[in-house]
Amino acid sequence: MRLLVLAIALLSSAISGFAAPPNIVLIISDDAGYADFGFHGSKVMRTPHLDKLAEQSMRFEQAYVTAAVCGPSRAGLFTGRYQQRFGFEENNVPGYMSESCLPDDEMGLPLDQTTVADHMKTLGYRTALIGKWHQGNADRFHPLKRGFDEFYGFRGGARSYFALRDAEKLTRKEDRMERGFGEFTEPDRYATDVFADETIAFIERNRDVPFFVVLSFNAVHAPMQGEAEDLKQFPELSGKRKQLAAMTLAMDRGCGNVLKCLTKLGLEENTMVVFTNDNGGPSDSNASINTPLSGTKANHLEGGIRVPFLMRWPGVTPAGSVYPHPISTLDLLPTFVSAGGGDVASLKQIDGVDLHPHLTGNEEDRPHQTLYWKKESRGAIRDGDWKLLRFPDRPAELYDLRNDISEHNNLAEKYPDRVRAMYKQLFDWELTLDRPRWQLKRQYEGAAMKRMDDYRN
């Protein structure tokens, strides 16, 4: 059956203009700062392998996630749909920060949602998730039941980079390292290195078939735990910034090892590699920097939702090129399906678009005229280059992102008609959404507003 599916995928790819279905490697960093990469101008963080990837890739100047925190952002990416459409609003799951009549085990990516891994598996791909899941801890939400053939990682949202102690294994079961389903074994090395090595092993095992692998780092999410040898590389730094630099260096090394594996196996020319981040950096908790963007993780200023994004797709994305228009991680699912020979037109109720015609110049319009974000009473809408932010504790703000990427010049009073129109446009979109299945405790909503104010540029 798998051979039949693969044959169909090969035929479909040939018809659609691709020589063969490309392998796909999606690398996701966690809580990284927008400015904390060499390819975005950092002189402190050392990311030589990602910088080289950027030279070989198309870099996207305006790439967005669908949420300013990890779990919902990943839910949007995995489904190609605004996660609010199925009640997975901008609150992480499960856990102590949420308010819900549901027990923790009921919180997760709803089972009626089709994932990108489901689609790629149907197209004949061998699929894997390595690293952080954060889409539900209960067995029924497990990656192996959501389209992934292989899994090595942890079900929760954050964990130690070193082996858990026995007491931690009992109190934080979702953080235990797991191979496949139910085989729990703690790593004997630094987790970031282990995740990269597991990805390499998956690629080596599946070199002769199309593969789709998500390398889902928990780096550089707290806890701030750099590996000892990496910490020594930054004697000029201290505190969280030193830890962040070491953790970033390890993540870059892991990315470099994966990329070297593709070259060694002769797979580089038929493998699409995407690198991105799940939300903006939380500057207070991990010392990340989002400059020139204002804001941080957990708010809808650009620093919370605009992320680094590289795509190396041989034959499609010219090396060293820059894509100027807004895109969304919603677009990854249809783009991957299209590249794999699938029929994008058959994808129902998705919000993402196939980027291929936009990247080749066959489609000159923007992939998205309008993008939306929502978290309870907070919300944001980008229409063209205008962006409106709605808050629970102050009047709405309006920015012209073409001329004000740092969101310094609030134009709401100057253009009240535009504010009213965009406010109504945001509300009309909200009328199409499901009720949230859970919400953030009020104390954390207040903390998110304070973080926004404290970290405006």
Side-chain angles (χ1 to χ4, degrees), residues 313-333:
W313 189 355
V316 177
T317 56
S321 59
V322 176
Y323 189 76
H325 300 308
I327 66 158
S328 170
T329 49
L330 293 168
D331 303 330
L332 289 174
L333 184 151

Side-chain angles (χ1 to χ4, degrees), residues 68-341:
V69 292
C70 309
S73 170
R74 293 161 189 260
L77 184 157
F78 285 135
T79 62
R81 306 184 70 204
Y82 284 111
Q83 65 279 356
Q84 297 94 337
R85 294 199 186 281
F86 45 86
F88 199 139
E89 199 161 293
E90 198 161 322
N91 302 298
N92 280 324
V93 300
Y96 67 93
M97 297 178 70
S98 300
E99 288 182 322
S100 174
C101 59
L102 299 173
D104 281 1
D105 282 351
E106 295 294 331
M107 298 184 194
L109 182 63
L111 300 181
D112 59 356
Q113 298 302 306
T114 304
T115 71
V116 60
D118 290 321
H119 289 293
M120 301 313 293
K121 191 170 181 177
T122 299
L123 292 172
Y125 278 70
R126 184 73 179 172
T127 61
L129 180 92
I130 311 295
K132 171 176 173 173
W133 175 231
H134 208 195
Q135 296 298 292
N137 297 340
D139 288 350
R140 62 185 169 281
F141 299 123
H142 193 277
L144 296 190
K145 299 185 179 181
R146 307 313 302 271
F148 292 101
D149 293 310
E150 298 187 30
F151 171 63
Y152 177 85
F154 61 102
R155 302 187 192 188
R159 60 154 283 151
S160 171
Y161 290 78
F162 303 99
L164 296 180
R165 297 184 294 270
D166 288 342
E168 292 173 318
K169 295 176 189 177
L170 294 174
T171 58
R172 300 181 61 86
K173 294 182 180 181
E174 70 274 14
D175 295 342
R176 294 175 297 172
M177 207 70 82
E178 183 178 13
R179 183 180 300 282
F181 183 82
E183 181 185 338
F184 297 100
T185 177
E186 287 300 302
D188 58 1
R189 295 179 296 120
Y190 192 64
T192 302
D193 292 325
V194 172
F195 291 150
D197 289 348
E198 290 287 335
T199 302
I200 290 168
F202 170 82
I203 292 171
E204 290 176 339
R205 287 195 303 274
N206 295 281
R207 68 183 75 180
D208 296 325
V209 297
F211 58 79
F212 168 66
V213 57
V214 181
L215 172 50
S216 178
F217 286 116
N218 55 320
V220 290
H221 195 293
M224 306 310 292
Q225 296 175 334
E227 200 275 329
E229 290 302 313
D230 294 330
L231 286 166
K232 292 178 182 178
Q233 305 304 310
F234 301 93
E236 74 282 11
L237 300 178
S238 62
K240 290 181 180 179
R241 193 70 177 158
K242 184 185 184 84
Q243 295 284 349
L244 179 68
M247 295 163 73
T248 301
L249 183 64
M251 180 179 67
D252 180 78
R253 177 174 62 244
C255 293
N257 288 339
V258 171
L259 296 172
K260 290 174 186 176
C261 170
L262 294 173
T263 302
K264 176 182 176 182
L265 297 177
L267 300 174
E268 185 176 41
E269 290 304 311
N270 193 40
T271 301
M272 182 198 309
V273 178
V274 175
F275 173 82
T276 190
N277 188 52
D278 63 352
N279 48 248
S283 303
D284 51 349
S285 63
N286 76 352
S288 55
I289 295 175
N290 296 311
T291 306
L293 310 177
S294 279
T296 66
K297 176 180 180 177
N299 63 68
H300 295 141
L301 292 168
E302 292 291 285
I305 56 176
R306 190 186 291 206
V307 293
F309 193 105
L310 305 173
M311 179 182 287
R312 187 180 75 185
W313 189 355
V316 177
T317 56
S321 59
V322 176
Y323 189 76
H325 300 308
I327 66 158
S328 170
T329 49
L330 293 168
D331 303 330
L332 289 174
L333 184 151
T335 302
F336 292 163
V337 168
S338 174

